Amino acid sequence: MENEAFKILMDDPDRGLRFIIDKHGPQLLKQITRCIQNDDELVKDVFQLTLIAIWTDHKKIGELEDPFAWIMAIARNTALSTLRSEKIRLKEPIEDHEDLRSSEQADTDLVYKETLDELLFHARRLTPREEEIYIASKVDGMDNKELEKVHNLKAQRVRNLLSSAQRKIRMLLRR
């Protein structure tokens, strides 16, 4: 009786998925909201992605000994994967967002320019290598892998340079 929905999932994926949503939907949502908080739209998107993953692997899931644990893992992994991709998207440069109202756009452009000018001013106090890596990372938006390739550095060296540059910049900005 416990795995009835999963047995149905193997034979009739649409009906089985409806049973799973009815029986385990709240638990799936709870699992997703453990990872994603304060963003209902993202939770709904992840819930849909989880259902798609369940439907795609319905035969495999139906044959498992503990399919409920498997779908809970799918929900958690989908939520974490989506969060990672959202964090990457949040690091996009400000210039890419041209859909603001004109007054907001003007303010955003001004704040961005002032912040960039202050950052570049303080970056001159860093060592030449730190300055080069810091500007490439924070202004040009390069990630660590790109910095490694472009500047021909090891991963640990990139992290060390960025860390020391950020620490110095924070101290300079506090003054």
Side-chain angles (χ1 to χ4, degrees):
M1 191 73 175
E2 176 67 26
N3 293 337
E4 177 184 340
F6 298 105
K7 297 295 182 202
I8 295 171
L9 184 67
M10 288 177 58
D11 300 328
D12 185 4
D14 294 328
R15 200 171 114 221
L17 198 56
R18 282 193 298 272
F19 277 137
I20 290 171
I21 292 169
D22 291 341
K23 188 172 184 179
H24 302 295
Q27 294 163 313
L28 286 170
L29 280 172
K30 189 175 182 181
Q31 177 78 338
I32 293 168
T33 54
R34 283 187 191 130
C35 301
I36 302 171
Q37 298 157 357
N38 303 325
D39 193 346
D40 292 338
E41 291 302 314
L42 190 59
V43 168
K44 290 176 188 175
D45 292 343
V46 170
F47 185 73
Q48 292 299 320
L49 291 171
T50 302
L51 295 178
I52 291 169
I54 292 169
W55 191 84
T56 304
D57 292 337
H58 67 277
K59 289 190 188 287
K60 178 180 175 184
I61 293 170
E63 295 172 351
L64 294 171
E65 187 174 313
D66 188 6
F68 176 73
W70 189 263
I71 67 167
M72 294 300 279
I74 290 173
R76 185 188 69 246
N77 293 341
T78 304
L80 294 174
S81 173
T82 304
L83 265 181
R84 280 191 294 274
S85 67
E86 282 294 308
K87 286 181 182 175
I88 290 170
R89 185 188 61 76
L90 291 175
K91 291 182 180 179
E92 292 175 356
I94 293 175
E95 299 92 29
D96 292 347
H97 300 284
E98 299 295 330
D99 57 349
L100 299 174
R101 292 186 310 223
S102 61
S103 62
E104 288 179 14
Q105 183 65 42
D107 291 344
T108 303
D109 290 344
L110 182 61
V111 169
Y112 178 78
K113 185 177 179 336
E114 289 173 350
T115 305
L116 181 61
D117 290 344
E118 187 175 5
L119 202 94
L120 293 174
F121 173 76
H122 289 303
R124 285 189 249 143
R125 294 186 177 173
L126 301 173
T127 65
R129 192 60 153 179
E130 286 174 339
E131 179 182 4
E132 180 182 26
I133 296 297
Y134 187 78
I135 289 173
S137 173
K138 301 303 176 189
V139 177
D140 300 334
M142 295 175 76
D143 64 10
N144 287 10
K145 293 280 186 199
E146 292 172 321
L147 291 170
E148 291 171 32
K149 289 178 185 172
V150 170
H151 297 284
N152 197 24
L153 296 170
K154 300 245 187 257
Q156 186 63 45
R157 179 71 175 140
V158 168
R159 287 193 297 271
N160 290 346
L161 286 168
L162 277 174
S163 176
S164 77
Q166 288 172 342
R167 186 176 59 252
K168 290 176 185 177
I169 291 288
R170 273 194 298 271
M171 286 178 19
L172 292 169
L173 289 173
R174 285 183 189 145
R175 294 181 185 166

